[in-house]
Amino acid sequence: MKLKLERPIVFFDLETTGVNVINDRIIEISILKVHPDGLEESKTRRINPGIPIPPASSEVHGITDEDVKDCPLFAQVARSLYQWIEGCDIAGFNSNRFDVPLLVEELLRAGVEVDLSRRRFVDVQTIYHKMERRTLEAAYRFYCDKTLDNAHSAEADTRATYEILMAQLDRYPEELTNDVDFLAEFSSYGRMVDFAGMLAYNDQDEIIINFGKHKGRVLAEVLSSEPSYYHWVMGASFTLDTKNWFSRVRLSLNRPQS
């Protein structure tokens, strides 16, 4: 089966210093770009995270400080990386909840202006969990009847994710549509505004808060009635992407109405 595409889609996977989107850093990224005509391009690069890699993380992916000491910092490759994926839809395994938010955070930290508003995001793990509910290795065995060698290698995981999606489309022809719009909608968890999921859209397309004491309330109304809330968010441990959205909404409140 060939994936039906209107534009290229990139499957990607990250190996990182940990699982905290705000504090941890990328140490390896692998990207498989699939074009509408079926052409595939693959790139894998290791990154010096600029911070020590915890031994517990090295035990998972096998990458140590020594392995990346001579590799470029993310800021050195950020713009060329973003240019390579610009205009592409994005897919991964648990990507909507981890890989995409962390990649966006790294890009913003590097000073790259990120605009993914027109991109569609396909999370193969979400499809898997909705249909079978297991892990990447189990998914690869279940759908592709293969053993995932070099698990937790970004390149191996990226290729496996692409193969799993192809197998999912074959296995569930009545439930799944070979269309990126459908797959992005099917693999999403609600209509998120920011990549960390702190903000979402309600049925009226208003931005609402998706956490804490104001959960479910319209963000603009909260910022108008409680200005100190904005300053609390700016000083707290939220992603740069989330803080940028708070700032956009706050600035819109001060613009004169036409």
Side-chain angles (χ1 to χ4, degrees), residues 8-20:
I9 184 170
V10 292
F11 291 79
F12 84 106
D13 185 73
L14 304 176
E15 301 304 337
T16 64
T17 59
V19 296
N20 186 300

Side-chain angles (χ1 to χ4, degrees), residues 5-121:
L5 300 173
E6 297 175 358
R7 58 190 173 203
I9 184 170
V10 292
F11 291 79
F12 84 106
D13 185 73
L14 304 176
E15 301 304 337
T16 64
T17 59
V19 296
N20 186 300
V21 171
I22 298 171
N23 298 322
D24 282 307
R25 301 292 188 268
I26 295 171
I27 55 177
E28 186 175 71
I29 180 169
S30 185
I31 302 174
L32 174 64
K33 182 188 286 190
V34 183
H35 294 265
D37 63 2
L39 175 68
E40 299 177 10
E41 298 178 88
S42 179
K43 292 185 179 182
T44 299
R45 180 184 284 275
R46 285 192 173 175
I47 305 292
N48 183 333
I51 61 174
I53 302 173
S57 297
S58 294
E59 288 180 9
V60 173
H61 46 58
I63 303 172
T64 65
D65 291 330
E66 181 69 19
D67 295 327
V68 298
K69 67 177 183 179
D70 296 323
C71 295
L73 298 171
F74 188 83
Q76 294 175 284
V77 302
R79 293 191 185 280
S80 61
L81 170 64
Y82 185 63
Q83 288 171 357
W84 203 61
I85 67 173
E86 196 167 14
C88 300
D89 292 321
I90 298 174
F93 198 87
N94 192 33
S95 50
N96 285 354
R97 291 189 169 187
F98 180 71
D99 297 81
V100 171
L102 181 54
L103 178 60
V104 169
E105 192 72 359
E106 286 273 45
L107 288 167
L108 291 173
R109 245 192 314 264
V112 177
E113 188 173 339
V114 180
D115 182 6
L116 301 178
S117 59
R118 296 186 180 180
R119 303 285 75 82
R120 292 165 296 186
F121 302 89

Side-chain angles (χ1 to χ4, degrees), residues 70-201:
D70 296 323
C71 295
L73 298 171
F74 188 83
Q76 294 175 284
V77 302
R79 293 191 185 280
S80 61
L81 170 64
Y82 185 63
Q83 288 171 357
W84 203 61
I85 67 173
E86 196 167 14
C88 300
D89 292 321
I90 298 174
F93 198 87
N94 192 33
S95 50
N96 285 354
R97 291 189 169 187
F98 180 71
D99 297 81
V100 171
L102 181 54
L103 178 60
V104 169
E105 192 72 359
E106 286 273 45
L107 288 167
L108 291 173
R109 245 192 314 264
V112 177
E113 188 173 339
V114 180
D115 182 6
L116 301 178
S117 59
R118 296 186 180 180
R119 303 285 75 82
R120 292 165 296 186
F121 302 89
V122 178
D123 193 327
V124 176
Q125 185 194 59
T126 303
I127 297 174
Y128 179 41
H129 285 177
K130 286 185 175 181
M131 307 307 292
E132 303 294 343
R133 303 186 185 280
R134 299 185 186 176
T135 63
L136 178 59
E137 289 88 344
Y140 198 53
R141 191 181 311 113
F142 182 86
Y143 287 112
C144 304
D145 196 25
K146 298 178 184 178
T147 299
L148 179 55
D149 297 323
N150 298 320
H152 301 297
S153 153
E155 186 169 358
D157 289 357
T158 297
R159 171 64 62 174
T161 299
Y162 176 44
E163 291 183 26
I164 290 169
L165 178 58
M166 296 297 95
Q168 288 173 331
L169 290 170
D170 282 331
R171 183 176 287 266
Y172 310 114
E174 296 184 3
E175 294 93 343
L176 300 179
T177 301
N178 189 348
D179 175 82
V180 173
D181 278 331
F182 172 87
L183 295 170
E185 178 66 24
F186 188 85
S187 61
S188 69
Y189 284 95
R191 300 169 60 214
M192 297 298 108
V193 173
D194 61 327
F195 291 107
M198 298 294 104
L199 300 171
Y201 291 107

Side-chain angles (χ1 to χ4, degrees), residues 207-252:
I207 296 177
I208 61 173
I209 298 169
N210 203 33
F211 69 94
K213 66 178 183 178
H214 293 307
K215 185 173 182 178
R217 293 187 60 188
V218 175
L219 176 58
E221 295 176 358
V222 173
L223 294 181
S224 294
S225 63
E226 192 179 329
S228 61
Y229 185 67
Y230 170 80
H231 298 290
W232 173 77
V233 169
M234 292 299 105
S237 295
F238 292 100
T239 66
L240 294 175
D241 179 48
T242 300
K243 291 180 178 181
N244 285 346
W245 275 103
F246 269 82
S247 295
R248 289 188 194 111
V249 173
R250 183 169 180 260
L251 286 172
S252 71

